[in-house]
Amino acid sequence: DAGVIQSPRHEVTEMGQEVTLRCKPISGHNSLFWYRQTMMRGLELLIYFNNNVPIDDSGMPEDRFSAKMPNASFSTLKIQPSEPRDSAVYFCASSLVGGNEQFFGPGTRLTVL
Amino acid sequence: DAKTTQPPSMDCAEGRAANLPCNHSTISGNEYVYWYRQIHSQGPQYIIHGLKNNETNEMASLIITEDRKSSTLILPHATLRDTAVYYCIVAGNNRKLIWGLGTSLAVNP
């Protein structure tokens, strides 16, 4: 099993630039979750999809953040424009709908200068 | 806000059992207790979950009190590789996990 794949693993960008994070869930999984982790706030759920449909985006901090899942094997999280306070580790996780175990990717460490 | 309370840190000797407590006094009847752990610089890893009965798998045991207001995760023979942050999470049928700050477990040689 390849597990959940995230790219890039590290991203350094300047304030105001657009950032796109990518996630490939485990094959056969039909729920996908985007999380953000910082020292101050811990691990926060941003949005999750069931069967490619966004179910709950209440954790998305503001309009600068958007997420898409065009098909069952790919999702993106976009930040436009990026700000220094967006610096964090962003995790993607997948599971079966209603499944009890979420499988996490290795994360993308984002630094916005 | 997280619905659970955990001690911020604990220590355990290698080879001994690690008992990690969690309080979830406001848990609802249809909510499960989940445990995950996060080893430094990695994504969180599922350990175990339960509703009201005690559960055991190859990684750990989960003991839930009869009133379901607290639980304990037991690592029967802790190793150095079990050093991690352990998260206790309560979630309903939507499986939406709200994470607290967890317990940082240090397993010492």
Side-chain angles (χ1 to χ4, degrees):
Chain A
D1 284 339
V4 175
I5 299 173
Q6 292 188 245
S7 65
R9 295 292 311 275
H10 302 272
E11 177 82 24
V12 180
T13 190
E14 293 188 347
M15 182 174 62
Q17 296 299 305
E18 178 179 295
V19 175
T20 299
L21 311 181
R22 297 172 175 80
C23 176
K24 177 178 170 57
I26 291 172
S27 178
H29 282 185
N30 46 13
S31 283
L32 184 138
F33 307 80
W34 281 102
Y35 292 89
R36 176 174 68 176
Q37 187 171 35
T38 62
M39 289 292 293
M40 292 297 295
R41 300 175 65 89
L43 201 61
E44 304 172 279
L45 175 65
L46 300 177
I47 184 172
Y48 77 94
F49 297 82
N50 284 348
N51 298 309
N52 312 336
V53 176
I55 302 301
D56 187 337
D57 65 354
S58 59
M60 295 287 264
E62 48 197 275
D63 292 345
R64 298 184 297 106
F65 286 69
S66 62
K68 294 182 179 180
M69 192 162 187
N71 56 62
S73 59
F74 183 66
S75 178
T76 59
L77 178 68
K78 184 176 295 186
I79 308 173
Q80 166 64 18
S82 58
E83 297 183 1
R85 59 192 169 120
D86 301 331
S87 297
V89 180
Y90 290 81
F91 289 103
C92 174
S94 72
S95 75
L96 296 172
V97 172
N100 288 300
E101 181 175 357
Q102 293 184 20
F103 294 80
F104 282 75
T108 295
R109 181 173 296 277
L110 173 65
T111 302
V112 183
L113 303 175
Chain B
D1 292 336
K3 300 181 181 179
T4 63
T5 304
Q6 299 177 253
S9 63
M10 294 183 64
D11 287 289
C12 177
E14 187 178 19
R16 304 297 296 270
N19 297 280
L20 293 90
C22 179
N23 286 321
H24 33 79
S25 58
T26 61
I27 191 170
S28 301
N30 64 345
E31 289 183 317
Y32 291 78
V33 180
Y34 293 85
W35 283 84
Y36 280 74
R37 73 179 183 184
Q38 187 173 24
I39 296 170
H40 182 63
S41 297
Q42 297 182 19
Q45 176 191 24
Y46 166 87
I47 301 172
I48 199 168
H49 77 281
L51 184 61
K52 55 183 178 181
N53 296 323
N54 297 337
E55 303 287 342
T56 295
N57 63 20
E58 66 278 5
M59 290 182 68
S61 294
L62 174 60
I63 308 298
I64 303 174
T65 58
E66 192 169 343
D67 63 7
R68 303 210 321 127
K69 293 185 177 183
S70 65
S71 61
T72 300
L73 180 74
I74 301 173
L75 308 178
H77 306 286
T79 71
L80 298 179
R81 289 175 296 180
D82 292 323
T83 293
V85 179
Y86 288 77
Y87 296 94
C88 170
I89 304 162
V90 165
N93 291 331
N94 63 5
R95 307 297 192 267
K96 182 176 175 180
L97 305 181
I98 308 299
W99 301 69
L101 297 179
T103 295
S104 180
L105 175 68
V107 180
N108 303 310

Short mmCIF file of all heavy atoms in Angstrom, two decimals, chain A residues 9 33 35 37 39-45 48 56 58-59 91 98-107 109, chain B residues 32 34 36 38 40-49 85 87 89 92-101:
data_model
loop_
_atom_site.label_atom_id
_atom_site.label_comp_id
_atom_site.label_asym_id
_atom_site.label_seq_id
_atom_site.Cartn_x
_atom_site.Cartn_y
_atom_site.Cartn_z
N ARG A 9 6.32 18.07 0.00
CA ARG A 9 6.57 17.81 1.42
C ARG A 9 6.95 19.09 2.16
O ARG A 9 6.65 19.23 3.34
CB ARG A 9 7.66 16.76 1.59
CG ARG A 9 7.29 15.39 1.06
CD ARG A 9 6.18 14.75 1.90
NE ARG A 9 6.46 14.80 3.32
CZ ARG A 9 7.21 13.91 3.95
NH1 ARG A 9 7.74 12.90 3.29
NH2 ARG A 9 7.41 14.01 5.24
N PHE A 33 -9.95 14.14 4.26
CA PHE A 33 -9.91 15.20 5.27
C PHE A 33 -8.66 16.04 5.08
O PHE A 33 -7.58 15.52 4.83
CB PHE A 33 -9.86 14.58 6.68
CG PHE A 33 -10.95 13.57 6.96
CD1 PHE A 33 -10.86 12.27 6.50
CD2 PHE A 33 -12.07 13.93 7.69
CE1 PHE A 33 -11.85 11.33 6.76
CE2 PHE A 33 -13.07 13.01 7.97
CZ PHE A 33 -12.96 11.71 7.50
N TYR A 35 -6.35 18.74 7.30
CA TYR A 35 -6.08 19.27 8.63
C TYR A 35 -4.92 20.26 8.56
O TYR A 35 -4.06 20.19 7.68
CB TYR A 35 -5.67 18.16 9.59
CG TYR A 35 -6.75 17.16 9.97
CD1 TYR A 35 -6.94 16.01 9.21
CD2 TYR A 35 -7.54 17.36 11.09
CE1 TYR A 35 -7.90 15.08 9.58
CE2 TYR A 35 -8.50 16.43 11.46
CZ TYR A 35 -8.68 15.29 10.70
OH TYR A 35 -9.63 14.38 11.07
N GLN A 37 -1.91 21.85 11.32
CA GLN A 37 -1.33 21.72 12.66
C GLN A 37 -0.33 22.83 12.93
O GLN A 37 0.62 23.02 12.16
CB GLN A 37 -0.66 20.36 12.85
CG GLN A 37 -0.19 20.11 14.28
CD GLN A 37 0.27 18.69 14.49
OE1 GLN A 37 0.86 18.05 13.62
NE2 GLN A 37 0.00 18.15 15.67
N MET A 39 1.76 24.91 16.46
CA MET A 39 2.07 24.77 17.87
C MET A 39 0.99 25.42 18.73
O MET A 39 0.62 24.90 19.78
CB MET A 39 3.43 25.41 18.16
CG MET A 39 4.60 24.63 17.60
SD MET A 39 4.83 23.08 18.43
CE MET A 39 5.31 23.64 20.05
N MET A 40 0.49 26.55 18.26
CA MET A 40 -0.46 27.31 19.08
C MET A 40 -1.83 26.66 19.12
O MET A 40 -2.48 26.65 20.17
CB MET A 40 -0.57 28.74 18.54
CG MET A 40 0.68 29.57 18.71
SD MET A 40 1.07 29.81 20.45
CE MET A 40 -0.34 30.79 20.97
N ARG A 41 -2.30 26.14 18.00
CA ARG A 41 -3.68 25.68 17.89
C ARG A 41 -3.82 24.18 17.78
O ARG A 41 -4.94 23.66 17.78
CB ARG A 41 -4.34 26.36 16.70
CG ARG A 41 -4.37 27.89 16.80
CD ARG A 41 -4.92 28.50 15.51
NE ARG A 41 -6.32 28.14 15.31
CZ ARG A 41 -7.34 28.85 15.78
NH1 ARG A 41 -7.11 29.94 16.49
NH2 ARG A 41 -8.58 28.47 15.55
N GLY A 42 -2.71 23.47 17.69
CA GLY A 42 -2.79 22.03 17.57
C GLY A 42 -3.29 21.61 16.21
O GLY A 42 -3.10 22.29 15.21
N LEU A 43 -3.98 20.47 16.18
CA LEU A 43 -4.48 19.90 14.93
C LEU A 43 -5.93 20.32 14.72
O LEU A 43 -6.78 20.06 15.56
CB LEU A 43 -4.37 18.37 15.01
CG LEU A 43 -4.35 17.57 13.73
CD1 LEU A 43 -3.16 17.95 12.88
CD2 LEU A 43 -4.30 16.09 14.05
N GLU A 44 -6.19 20.97 13.60
CA GLU A 44 -7.53 21.48 13.30
C GLU A 44 -8.05 20.87 12.00
O GLU A 44 -7.33 20.86 10.99
CB GLU A 44 -7.50 22.99 13.11
CG GLU A 44 -6.93 23.81 14.24
CD GLU A 44 -6.77 25.26 13.83
OE1 GLU A 44 -5.78 25.59 13.15
OE2 GLU A 44 -7.64 26.07 14.19
N LEU A 45 -9.30 20.42 12.02
CA LEU A 45 -9.94 19.95 10.79
C LEU A 45 -10.38 21.16 9.98
O LEU A 45 -11.11 22.02 10.47
CB LEU A 45 -11.14 19.07 11.12
CG LEU A 45 -11.98 18.59 9.94
CD1 LEU A 45 -11.16 17.66 9.05
CD2 LEU A 45 -13.24 17.89 10.42
N TYR A 48 -13.81 18.34 5.09
CA TYR A 48 -13.77 16.95 4.68
C TYR A 48 -14.80 16.68 3.59
O TYR A 48 -15.82 17.36 3.50
CB TYR A 48 -13.89 15.97 5.85
CG TYR A 48 -15.26 15.76 6.45
CD1 TYR A 48 -16.09 14.72 6.02
CD2 TYR A 48 -15.69 16.55 7.51
CE1 TYR A 48 -17.31 14.50 6.62
CE2 TYR A 48 -16.93 16.33 8.11
CZ TYR A 48 -17.72 15.31 7.66
OH TYR A 48 -18.95 15.08 8.25
N ASP A 56 -18.34 19.30 5.18
CA ASP A 56 -18.20 20.26 6.26
C ASP A 56 -16.94 21.08 6.03
O ASP A 56 -15.84 20.55 6.11
CB ASP A 56 -18.14 19.54 7.61
CG ASP A 56 -18.17 20.49 8.79
OD1 ASP A 56 -17.81 21.67 8.64
OD2 ASP A 56 -18.55 20.04 9.89
N SER A 58 -16.55 24.05 7.74
CA SER A 58 -16.62 25.06 8.80
C SER A 58 -15.27 25.39 9.41
O SER A 58 -15.11 26.42 10.05
CB SER A 58 -17.58 24.60 9.91
OG SER A 58 -17.15 23.37 10.47
N GLY A 59 -14.31 24.54 9.20
CA GLY A 59 -12.97 24.80 9.74
C GLY A 59 -12.08 25.61 8.82
O GLY A 59 -10.98 26.00 9.22
N PHE A 91 -1.99 18.39 6.86
CA PHE A 91 -2.13 16.95 6.69
C PHE A 91 -3.39 16.64 5.89
O PHE A 91 -4.43 17.28 6.06
CB PHE A 91 -2.24 16.25 8.04
CG PHE A 91 -0.96 16.21 8.83
CD1 PHE A 91 -0.77 17.05 9.90
CD2 PHE A 91 0.04 15.30 8.50
CE1 PHE A 91 0.41 17.01 10.65
CE2 PHE A 91 1.21 15.26 9.23
CZ PHE A 91 1.40 16.11 10.30
N GLY A 98 -17.76 6.66 6.95
CA GLY A 98 -18.23 6.00 8.17
C GLY A 98 -17.20 5.10 8.82
O GLY A 98 -17.46 4.50 9.86
N GLY A 99 -16.02 5.03 8.21
CA GLY A 99 -14.97 4.19 8.77
C GLY A 99 -14.39 4.80 10.04
O GLY A 99 -14.41 6.00 10.24
N ASN A 100 -13.88 3.94 10.88
CA ASN A 100 -13.38 4.41 12.16
C ASN A 100 -11.91 4.80 12.15
O ASN A 100 -11.44 5.38 13.11
CB ASN A 100 -13.62 3.34 13.23
CG ASN A 100 -15.08 3.22 13.59
OD1 ASN A 100 -15.68 4.19 14.05
ND2 ASN A 100 -15.65 2.06 13.35
N GLU A 101 -11.21 4.46 11.13
CA GLU A 101 -9.77 4.73 11.09
C GLU A 101 -9.45 5.69 9.95
O GLU A 101 -9.74 5.40 8.78
CB GLU A 101 -9.00 3.43 10.90
CG GLU A 101 -7.50 3.59 10.88
CD GLU A 101 -6.76 2.27 10.82
OE1 GLU A 101 -7.42 1.21 10.85
OE2 GLU A 101 -5.52 2.29 10.74
N GLN A 102 -8.86 6.82 10.30
CA GLN A 102 -8.36 7.74 9.29
C GLN A 102 -6.88 7.49 9.10
O GLN A 102 -6.13 7.36 10.07
CB GLN A 102 -8.61 9.19 9.72
CG GLN A 102 -10.08 9.57 9.77
CD GLN A 102 -10.30 11.03 10.11
OE1 GLN A 102 -9.42 11.87 9.96
NE2 GLN A 102 -11.50 11.35 10.57
N PHE A 103 -6.46 7.44 7.85
CA PHE A 103 -5.06 7.22 7.50
C PHE A 103 -4.47 8.55 7.06
O PHE A 103 -4.98 9.17 6.11
CB PHE A 103 -4.95 6.20 6.38
CG PHE A 103 -5.40 4.82 6.77
CD1 PHE A 103 -6.75 4.49 6.80
CD2 PHE A 103 -4.48 3.84 7.11
CE1 PHE A 103 -7.18 3.22 7.16
CE2 PHE A 103 -4.90 2.56 7.47
CZ PHE A 103 -6.24 2.26 7.50
N PHE A 104 -3.41 8.96 7.72
CA PHE A 104 -2.83 10.27 7.47
C PHE A 104 -1.63 10.17 6.54
O PHE A 104 -0.86 9.21 6.59
CB PHE A 104 -2.39 10.91 8.79
CG PHE A 104 -3.51 11.50 9.58
CD1 PHE A 104 -4.38 10.68 10.29
CD2 PHE A 104 -3.71 12.87 9.61
CE1 PHE A 104 -5.42 11.21 11.03
CE2 PHE A 104 -4.75 13.42 10.34
CZ PHE A 104 -5.61 12.59 11.05
N GLY A 105 -1.49 11.23 5.74
CA GLY A 105 -0.29 11.37 4.94
C GLY A 105 0.84 11.95 5.76
O GLY A 105 0.66 12.26 6.94
N PRO A 106 2.00 12.13 5.14
CA PRO A 106 3.18 12.62 5.87
C PRO A 106 3.14 14.12 6.14
O PRO A 106 3.95 14.62 6.92
CB PRO A 106 4.34 12.27 4.95
CG PRO A 106 3.73 12.28 3.59
CD PRO A 106 2.33 11.78 3.76
N GLY A 107 2.22 14.83 5.50
CA GLY A 107 2.09 16.26 5.73
C GLY A 107 2.92 17.10 4.78
O GLY A 107 3.91 16.63 4.18
N ARG A 109 4.86 20.75 5.01
CA ARG A 109 5.27 21.85 5.89
C ARG A 109 5.34 23.12 5.06
O ARG A 109 6.17 23.25 4.17
CB ARG A 109 6.61 21.56 6.54
CG ARG A 109 7.08 22.67 7.48
CD ARG A 109 8.34 22.27 8.24
NE ARG A 109 8.10 21.13 9.12
CZ ARG A 109 7.58 21.22 10.35
NH1 ARG A 109 7.26 22.41 10.84
NH2 ARG A 109 7.41 20.14 11.07
N TYR B 32 -18.24 7.79 20.09
CA TYR B 32 -17.17 6.84 20.30
C TYR B 32 -15.97 7.55 20.93
O TYR B 32 -15.78 8.76 20.77
CB TYR B 32 -16.73 6.22 18.97
CG TYR B 32 -17.75 5.31 18.34
CD1 TYR B 32 -18.85 5.81 17.67
CD2 TYR B 32 -17.58 3.92 18.40
CE1 TYR B 32 -19.78 4.96 17.08
CE2 TYR B 32 -18.51 3.07 17.81
CZ TYR B 32 -19.59 3.59 17.16
OH TYR B 32 -20.50 2.75 16.57
N TYR B 34 -11.95 7.57 20.53
CA TYR B 34 -10.86 7.20 19.62
C TYR B 34 -9.53 7.59 20.26
O TYR B 34 -9.42 8.59 20.96
CB TYR B 34 -10.97 7.96 18.29
CG TYR B 34 -12.16 7.60 17.45
CD1 TYR B 34 -13.40 8.20 17.66
CD2 TYR B 34 -12.04 6.66 16.43
CE1 TYR B 34 -14.50 7.87 16.88
CE2 TYR B 34 -13.14 6.33 15.65
CZ TYR B 34 -14.36 6.93 15.88
OH TYR B 34 -15.44 6.59 15.11
N TYR B 36 -5.52 8.17 18.95
CA TYR B 36 -4.51 8.28 17.91
C TYR B 36 -3.20 8.66 18.59
O TYR B 36 -3.19 9.18 19.70
CB TYR B 36 -4.87 9.37 16.90
CG TYR B 36 -5.88 8.99 15.85
CD1 TYR B 36 -7.23 8.86 16.17
CD2 TYR B 36 -5.49 8.77 14.53
CE1 TYR B 36 -8.15 8.51 15.20
CE2 TYR B 36 -6.41 8.43 13.55
CZ TYR B 36 -7.73 8.30 13.89
OH TYR B 36 -8.65 7.95 12.93
N GLN B 38 0.82 10.49 17.58
CA GLN B 38 1.62 11.19 16.58
C GLN B 38 3.08 11.16 17.02
O GLN B 38 3.44 11.78 18.03
CB GLN B 38 1.15 12.63 16.39
CG GLN B 38 1.84 13.35 15.25
CD GLN B 38 1.25 14.71 14.98
OE1 GLN B 38 0.63 15.33 15.83
NE2 GLN B 38 1.43 15.21 13.75
N HIS B 40 6.90 12.16 16.43
CA HIS B 40 7.48 13.43 15.98
C HIS B 40 7.67 13.48 14.47
O HIS B 40 8.24 12.58 13.87
CB HIS B 40 8.82 13.65 16.69
CG HIS B 40 9.46 14.95 16.33
ND1 HIS B 40 8.87 16.18 16.61
CD2 HIS B 40 10.62 15.23 15.70
CE1 HIS B 40 9.66 17.13 16.18
NE2 HIS B 40 10.72 16.61 15.63
N SER B 41 7.12 14.57 13.89
CA SER B 41 7.28 14.87 12.46
C SER B 41 6.54 13.92 11.54
O SER B 41 6.77 13.94 10.33
CB SER B 41 8.77 14.90 12.06
OG SER B 41 9.44 15.92 12.74
N GLN B 42 5.65 13.10 12.09
CA GLN B 42 4.85 12.21 11.25
C GLN B 42 3.37 12.57 11.36
O GLN B 42 2.97 13.32 12.25
CB GLN B 42 5.06 10.75 11.66
CG GLN B 42 6.48 10.26 11.49
CD GLN B 42 6.62 8.80 11.86
OE1 GLN B 42 5.64 8.05 11.92
NE2 GLN B 42 7.84 8.38 12.12
N GLY B 43 2.57 12.02 10.47
CA GLY B 43 1.13 12.17 10.58
C GLY B 43 0.59 11.31 11.71
O GLY B 43 1.18 10.30 12.08
N PRO B 44 -0.55 11.69 12.27
CA PRO B 44 -1.16 10.88 13.32
C PRO B 44 -1.47 9.46 12.84
O PRO B 44 -1.69 9.23 11.65
CB PRO B 44 -2.44 11.64 13.66
CG PRO B 44 -2.17 13.06 13.27
CD PRO B 44 -1.29 12.95 12.05
N GLN B 45 -1.49 8.54 13.79
CA GLN B 45 -1.72 7.12 13.51
C GLN B 45 -2.84 6.63 14.41
O GLN B 45 -2.81 6.83 15.62
CB GLN B 45 -0.44 6.32 13.77
CG GLN B 45 -0.58 4.83 13.60
CD GLN B 45 0.63 4.07 14.12
OE1 GLN B 45 1.37 4.56 14.98
NE2 GLN B 45 0.84 2.87 13.61
N TYR B 46 -3.82 5.98 13.81
CA TYR B 46 -4.93 5.41 14.58
C TYR B 46 -4.41 4.29 15.47
O TYR B 46 -3.54 3.50 15.07
CB TYR B 46 -5.97 4.86 13.62
CG TYR B 46 -7.02 3.95 14.23
CD1 TYR B 46 -8.18 4.47 14.79
CD2 TYR B 46 -6.85 2.57 14.22
CE1 TYR B 46 -9.14 3.64 15.33
CE2 TYR B 46 -7.81 1.73 14.76
CZ TYR B 46 -8.95 2.27 15.31
OH TYR B 46 -9.91 1.44 15.85
N ILE B 47 -4.95 4.23 16.71
CA ILE B 47 -4.59 3.14 17.61
C ILE B 47 -5.77 2.22 17.85
O ILE B 47 -5.71 1.01 17.59
CB ILE B 47 -4.09 3.68 18.97
CG1 ILE B 47 -2.88 4.59 18.78
CG2 ILE B 47 -3.74 2.52 19.90
CD1 ILE B 47 -2.45 5.31 20.06
N ILE B 48 -6.87 2.77 18.35
CA ILE B 48 -7.99 1.95 18.78
C ILE B 48 -9.20 2.84 18.99
O ILE B 48 -9.06 4.06 19.11
CB ILE B 48 -7.61 1.20 20.08
CG1 ILE B 48 -8.50 -0.01 20.34
CG2 ILE B 48 -7.61 2.16 21.28
CD1 ILE B 48 -7.96 -0.92 21.45
N HIS B 49 -10.39 2.27 19.03
CA HIS B 49 -11.58 3.02 19.37
C HIS B 49 -12.56 2.11 20.09
O HIS B 49 -12.46 0.87 20.01
CB HIS B 49 -12.24 3.64 18.13
CG HIS B 49 -13.02 2.67 17.30
ND1 HIS B 49 -12.40 1.79 16.43
CD2 HIS B 49 -14.34 2.43 17.22
CE1 HIS B 49 -13.31 1.05 15.83
NE2 HIS B 49 -14.50 1.40 16.29
N VAL B 85 2.98 11.74 21.02
CA VAL B 85 1.84 12.44 21.61
C VAL B 85 0.60 11.59 21.35
O VAL B 85 0.35 11.19 20.21
CB VAL B 85 1.66 13.84 21.02
CG1 VAL B 85 0.44 14.53 21.63
CG2 VAL B 85 2.91 14.69 21.25
N TYR B 87 -3.48 11.17 21.54
CA TYR B 87 -4.69 11.97 21.52
C TYR B 87 -5.91 11.08 21.81
O TYR B 87 -6.09 10.04 21.17
CB TYR B 87 -4.91 12.63 20.16
CG TYR B 87 -3.86 13.62 19.77
CD1 TYR B 87 -2.76 13.24 18.99
CD2 TYR B 87 -3.96 14.96 20.16
CE1 TYR B 87 -1.81 14.17 18.61
CE2 TYR B 87 -2.99 15.88 19.78
CZ TYR B 87 -1.93 15.48 19.02
OH TYR B 87 -0.97 16.39 18.65
N ILE B 89 -9.96 11.26 21.61
CA ILE B 89 -10.93 12.06 20.87
C ILE B 89 -12.30 11.40 20.98
O ILE B 89 -12.42 10.18 20.90
CB ILE B 89 -10.54 12.14 19.38
CG1 ILE B 89 -9.12 12.70 19.21
CG2 ILE B 89 -11.54 12.98 18.59
CD1 ILE B 89 -8.51 12.40 17.86
N GLY B 92 -18.90 11.48 17.03
CA GLY B 92 -20.15 10.80 16.73
C GLY B 92 -20.11 10.08 15.41
O GLY B 92 -19.05 9.80 14.85
N ASN B 93 -21.27 9.82 14.87
CA ASN B 93 -21.38 9.02 13.65
C ASN B 93 -20.75 9.69 12.44
O ASN B 93 -20.42 9.02 11.46
CB ASN B 93 -22.85 8.71 13.35
CG ASN B 93 -23.44 7.75 14.37
OD1 ASN B 93 -22.72 6.93 14.94
ND2 ASN B 93 -24.73 7.87 14.62
N ASN B 94 -20.60 11.01 12.47
CA ASN B 94 -19.98 11.68 11.33
C ASN B 94 -18.46 11.52 11.32
O ASN B 94 -17.81 11.93 10.37
CB ASN B 94 -20.35 13.16 11.28
CG ASN B 94 -19.84 13.93 12.49
OD1 ASN B 94 -19.13 13.39 13.34
ND2 ASN B 94 -20.21 15.19 12.58
N ARG B 95 -17.93 10.90 12.38
CA ARG B 95 -16.49 10.65 12.48
C ARG B 95 -15.67 11.95 12.36
O ARG B 95 -14.52 11.91 11.95
CB ARG B 95 -16.02 9.66 11.41
CG ARG B 95 -16.79 8.37 11.38
CD ARG B 95 -16.65 7.58 12.65
NE ARG B 95 -17.15 6.22 12.52
CZ ARG B 95 -18.39 5.83 12.82
NH1 ARG B 95 -19.27 6.71 13.26
NH2 ARG B 95 -18.74 4.57 12.66
N LYS B 96 -16.28 13.09 12.72
CA LYS B 96 -15.55 14.35 12.68
C LYS B 96 -14.71 14.46 13.95
O LYS B 96 -15.24 14.59 15.05
CB LYS B 96 -16.54 15.51 12.58
CG LYS B 96 -15.90 16.88 12.49
CD LYS B 96 -16.96 17.96 12.30
CE LYS B 96 -16.36 19.34 12.32
NZ LYS B 96 -17.38 20.39 12.14
N LEU B 97 -13.41 14.39 13.80
CA LEU B 97 -12.50 14.36 14.94
C LEU B 97 -12.10 15.77 15.34
O LEU B 97 -11.56 16.52 14.53
CB LEU B 97 -11.26 13.54 14.60
CG LEU B 97 -11.50 12.11 14.11
CD1 LEU B 97 -10.17 11.42 13.83
CD2 LEU B 97 -12.32 11.30 15.10
N ILE B 98 -12.33 16.12 16.60
CA ILE B 98 -11.90 17.39 17.16
C ILE B 98 -10.75 17.08 18.11
O ILE B 98 -10.94 16.41 19.13
CB ILE B 98 -13.05 18.10 17.92
CG1 ILE B 98 -14.29 18.20 17.03
CG2 ILE B 98 -12.59 19.47 18.41
CD1 ILE B 98 -14.09 19.01 15.78
N TRP B 99 -9.56 17.59 17.78
CA TRP B 99 -8.34 17.20 18.48
C TRP B 99 -8.02 18.16 19.61
O TRP B 99 -8.09 19.36 19.45
CB TRP B 99 -7.17 17.17 17.49
CG TRP B 99 -7.39 16.24 16.35
CD1 TRP B 99 -8.28 16.39 15.33
CD2 TRP B 99 -6.72 15.01 16.11
NE1 TRP B 99 -8.21 15.33 14.48
CE2 TRP B 99 -7.26 14.46 14.91
CE3 TRP B 99 -5.71 14.30 16.77
CZ2 TRP B 99 -6.82 13.25 14.39
CZ3 TRP B 99 -5.27 13.11 16.23
CH2 TRP B 99 -5.83 12.59 15.05
N GLY B 100 -7.65 17.62 20.75
CA GLY B 100 -7.11 18.41 21.85
C GLY B 100 -5.59 18.47 21.76
O GLY B 100 -5.03 18.29 20.67
N LEU B 101 -4.96 18.72 22.88
CA LEU B 101 -3.50 18.86 22.90
C LEU B 101 -2.79 17.55 23.19
O LEU B 101 -1.58 17.46 23.04
CB LEU B 101 -3.09 19.92 23.92
CG LEU B 101 -3.60 21.33 23.60
CD1 LEU B 101 -3.16 22.30 24.67
CD2 LEU B 101 -3.10 21.79 22.23
#
